Amino acid sequence: LIQGASDPQELLQASRGPAMSSNLAALAIARLAHLAGKQRLDTESIRGDPRFQQLLDTVDAQISQVWNAPLVQLLRSLPALGLARGGRQARSVEQEVLWRLRRLPLRQLVQLAEHLAGQGHDGLLLPEVLRKLELRWTELDGTRTVVTLMAKVGHLSPALMERLEDKALELAEQFDPDELRRVVLALALQQRRCVPLLRALSYHLLQKPAELPLPVLTDLLFAYSKLSFQQPQVLHRLSLELQPHLGALSPAQVSRCARSFASLRWLSRPLAEAIAQYSLDNTQKLSITQLCGILVSFARLNFQPSSSEEFFSMVHEQLQGQEQQLDTHLLTDAVWSLCVLQQARPPHLRHVLCPEFQARLRGDTSPRAQSSWLKLLHINATARLEAPGYQGPFLPPEALAGDRDKDREKATPLQRGLREALLGALGGPDLIRHDVSTVYGWDIDAEVVLDSDNKPLPVRDFTAPHLPHSEGTKPLPPGARRVAVLRWEFPQFSSRGRELLGRGSMARRHLRAAGFLLAEVS
């Protein structure tokens, strides 16, 4: 009668018999909660019914005789019926569950953990449930259980999450695409870059023959970006399968996909072209923030669309008149991106280089502000070196000086080897200037001056317009040249990463325009 009841009144009427045990009463309350949720009923009328109170009293009087499964259901049902978590009945049920934790099957422990974590439980029960799961993790045997725990409970217990990662590694071959998505997303949201597990999941993802659903594509891309985990074959597949569905995505999703590929330094030209065309086709739907996200992504990847003139005309049109409304950092990013792609116009340069705009960033020591200030230096260099008709304003000389937070003590092996090689080849420390911070916002690993016969000269004897304060006073001799040694290191990325960096392209242009010959090592 309890299981077959389709109406709360029918259920309450069936529960009036004198033979109602505490176990059946618990089942009846669970069924009531199910019907109330399914039919969206007012729980206040149920709570006020004397027959419901009789059910609660029956359970409370003989709670030790309630079986495990109905007891767990009862714990989940009382809050759904509007009973206060701190009330007498709820506390009684929680205490009974706490006493029985050691005897509960693993499946019911998982249900408990999922429910308590979802309710934001702050009592003693949830920590005890997590401890029991940590001790019994070897009993986990199903992919659904592992995925559920990782997604909903793992963030509450790092020790349990480590065990779950080990179990997921064992079960990786059995995950379907949606389970793969949920596992990788759980790792990303918890900032757990478990490389062995990510490699295994990537391998088994590539073995899935069917086309991946759109939510799987977008969530995997977001997760790989969040974890800075670049797997070329996976990214190639994601970009290939995402391109035909681009029109079905919202502007926010397209902007997020573009930013994700850019942060992974992965350029799929057909997909990037499709994103540019999407932007042109949906100009009215794109917010200025979303458009700037796409623009910054193109700049980071040094990508120029084939419809470059049309695309950038649209960007300029959308930015026009919006400078005052845009966030300081967002506007800086947008103008910097236009400079990277050689599309900046004098009005944009004037707006971000004026003293009023600079004042917004002064005194702010946050990482975001420091990044924006460095970009202002790059924009200022573009205005001086690549905008012949631009008359100002420029950043003041005092703003071009200062240490840009370089960590000189933690030199990389390549950096140490480069210093030793240059010292041995040139013959003396006075012939090299190391760790040069230029007024253009670019740091040079080493600077050398060579005469017309390619012999090194004392670098500190000569004027240095690229420095905030020049040490020397002599002009360069006729035929002499400055050489800037640039070091590129991409420990996590493919060898073509250097060509994909828009900022690297901008650095080369600026330094060449300033009269440097470039020597690059990687």
Side-chain angles (χ1 to χ4, degrees):
L1 288 173
I2 291 171
Q3 295 300 333
S6 58
D7 178 80
Q9 292 302 319
E10 178 187 349
L11 181 58
L12 289 169
Q13 187 63 32
S15 305
R16 292 188 65 183
M20 177 67 68
S21 67
S22 59
N23 192 60
L24 288 175
L27 285 173
I29 293 172
R31 181 67 179 168
L32 272 173
H34 172 75
L35 291 175
K38 185 178 180 181
Q39 299 176 15
R40 300 188 178 186
L41 302 174
D42 178 21
T43 58
E44 187 176 352
S45 61
I46 296 176
R47 292 196 307 274
D49 195 303
R51 295 169 293 181
F52 178 70
Q53 292 299 323
Q54 185 179 349
L55 287 175
L56 290 176
D57 293 340
T58 302
V59 169
D60 196 41
Q62 298 178 320
I63 194 167
S64 61
Q65 297 180 23
V66 179
W67 297 355
N68 289 339
L71 185 67
V72 172
Q73 290 180 27
L74 183 62
L75 181 68
R76 300 166 65 181
S77 302
L78 293 181
L81 288 169
L83 271 77
R85 200 174 293 161
R88 181 175 59 83
Q89 294 94 343
R91 290 201 312 271
S92 175
V93 174
E94 279 191 24
Q95 190 62 47
E96 184 66 25
V97 171
L98 195 58
W99 286 341
R100 293 194 203 181
L101 278 183
R102 293 180 61 185
R103 304 197 302 273
L104 289 181
L106 185 69
R107 179 174 57 83
Q108 291 172 359
L109 274 179
V110 172
Q111 291 174 353
L112 263 179
E114 183 180 354
H115 167 69
L116 295 172
Q119 293 290 318
H121 196 276
D122 55 358
L124 295 174
L125 187 54
L126 181 56
E128 285 300 319
V129 171
L130 294 176
R131 270 193 283 273
K132 293 295 183 290
L133 286 172
E134 289 171 23
L135 294 173
R136 296 174 61 180
W137 72 277
T138 54
E139 298 177 39
L140 295 169
D141 57 357
T143 58
R144 183 185 177 281
T145 301
V146 173
V147 171
T148 298
L149 286 176
M150 292 183 79
K152 299 192 174 180
V153 182
H155 65 284
L156 299 173
S157 171
L160 176 60
M161 191 63 180
E162 287 182 12
R163 304 287 188 270
L164 293 172
E165 287 172 356
D166 292 340
K167 184 58 73 171
L169 196 55
E170 293 177 23
L171 301 172
E173 188 175 1
Q174 303 174 33
F175 289 141
D176 63 32
D178 189 63
E179 289 172 333
L180 282 169
R181 173 190 71 85
R182 292 184 65 196
V183 171
V184 177
L185 206 53
L187 293 175
L189 294 175
Q190 296 174 46
Q191 286 294 295
R192 296 185 67 91
R193 198 174 185 274
C194 181
V195 173
L197 179 56
L198 287 169
R199 285 175 176 166
L201 295 174
S202 299
Y203 172 79
H204 292 295
L205 177 69
L206 292 170
Q207 307 312 306
K208 308 293 180 188
E211 186 174 332
L212 298 173
L214 189 56
V216 174
L217 294 172
T218 54
D219 284 349
L220 283 176
L221 179 58
F222 166 77
Y224 276 63
S225 167
K226 186 89 172 170
L227 294 169
S228 296
F229 185 77
Q230 192 198 59
Q231 214 292 337
Q233 290 86 355
V234 170
L235 294 179
H236 176 72
R237 178 172 182 175
L238 293 181
S239 58
L240 197 65
E241 295 189 13
L242 191 59
Q243 186 184 341
H245 301 291
L246 208 61
L249 297 179
S250 67
Q253 289 174 311
V254 172
S255 180
R256 189 175 73 178
C257 288
R259 294 198 309 271
S260 296
F261 277 115
S263 69
L264 289 166
R265 297 175 187 173
W266 179 266
L267 175 62
S268 166
R269 291 191 176 276
L271 180 62
E273 291 284 4
I275 291 175
Q277 190 58 48
Y278 178 97
S279 304
L280 289 170
D281 295 340
N282 297 273
T283 302
Q284 299 306 316
K285 297 179 182 177
L286 279 167
S287 70
I288 193 68
T289 303
Q290 292 159 356
L291 181 60
C292 287
I294 293 172
L295 179 64
V296 172
S297 302
F298 285 176
R300 292 184 68 179
L301 294 176
N302 199 24
F303 173 73
Q304 295 271 2
S306 58
S307 55
S308 181
E309 184 176 346
E310 187 181 358
F311 177 79
F312 288 111
S313 295
M314 179 270 291
V315 171
H316 290 307
E317 184 179 334
Q318 294 299 309
L319 284 177
Q320 188 174 1
Q322 296 290 324
E323 292 89 352
Q324 296 295 340
Q325 286 74 38
L326 282 179
D327 171 72
T328 302
H329 304 295
L330 185 61
L331 180 58
T332 305
D333 287 347
V335 177
W336 178 84
S337 300
L338 291 171
C339 290
V340 169
L341 298 169
Q342 297 180 280
Q343 299 291 336
R345 292 180 176 175
H348 301 136
L349 300 175
R350 275 195 292 272
H351 190 87
V352 297
L353 293 177
C354 69
E356 294 79 14
F357 189 86
Q358 300 167 33
R360 298 191 211 171
L361 293 174
R362 289 192 185 280
D364 190 344
T365 57
S366 66
R368 182 78 191 272
Q370 291 176 355
S371 173
S372 293
W373 189 259
L374 182 59
K375 287 175 179 174
L376 271 189
L377 292 179
H378 299 162
I379 295 169
N380 188 69
T382 298
R384 286 201 177 277
L385 302 172
E386 297 186 324
Y390 180 73
Q391 300 297 319
F394 298 99
L395 293 181
E398 62 273 13
L400 307 178
D403 188 3
R404 287 193 285 273
D405 242 2
K406 292 185 298 180
D407 193 344
R408 302 177 189 275
E409 295 180 2
K410 296 181 181 178
T412 65
L414 176 60
Q415 198 171 6
R416 289 194 297 269
L418 177 61
R419 289 176 183 175
E420 293 169 5
L422 286 172
L423 194 60
L426 298 174
D430 60 324
L431 303 176
I432 316 167
R433 184 186 279 125
H434 289 292
D435 298 322
V436 183
S437 292
T438 68
V439 295
Y440 311 120
W442 307 110
D443 293 335
I444 301 173
D445 285 272
E447 177 191 351
V448 179
V449 175
L450 301 178
D451 65 13
S452 56
D453 296 323
N454 289 330
K455 295 188 181 302
L457 300 174
V459 69
R460 291 171 182 81
D461 290 352
F462 304 102
T463 57
H466 58 283
L467 296 180
H469 306 288
S470 179
E471 296 173 283
T473 56
K474 300 179 183 177
L476 285 183
R481 293 159 297 173
R482 294 186 190 276
V483 179
V485 182
L486 302 178
R487 167 181 50 92
W488 302 100
E489 297 192 50
F490 299 92
Q492 306 175 45
F493 305 104
S494 64
S495 58
R496 67 196 191 103
R498 179 173 62 184
E499 284 70 36
L500 294 180
L501 278 178
R503 66 189 304 274
S505 174
M506 181 194 259
R508 294 187 193 96
R509 294 200 317 264
H510 286 174
L511 293 174
R512 288 191 182 112
F516 281 94
L517 292 178
L518 302 184
E520 303 183 46
V521 294
S522 59

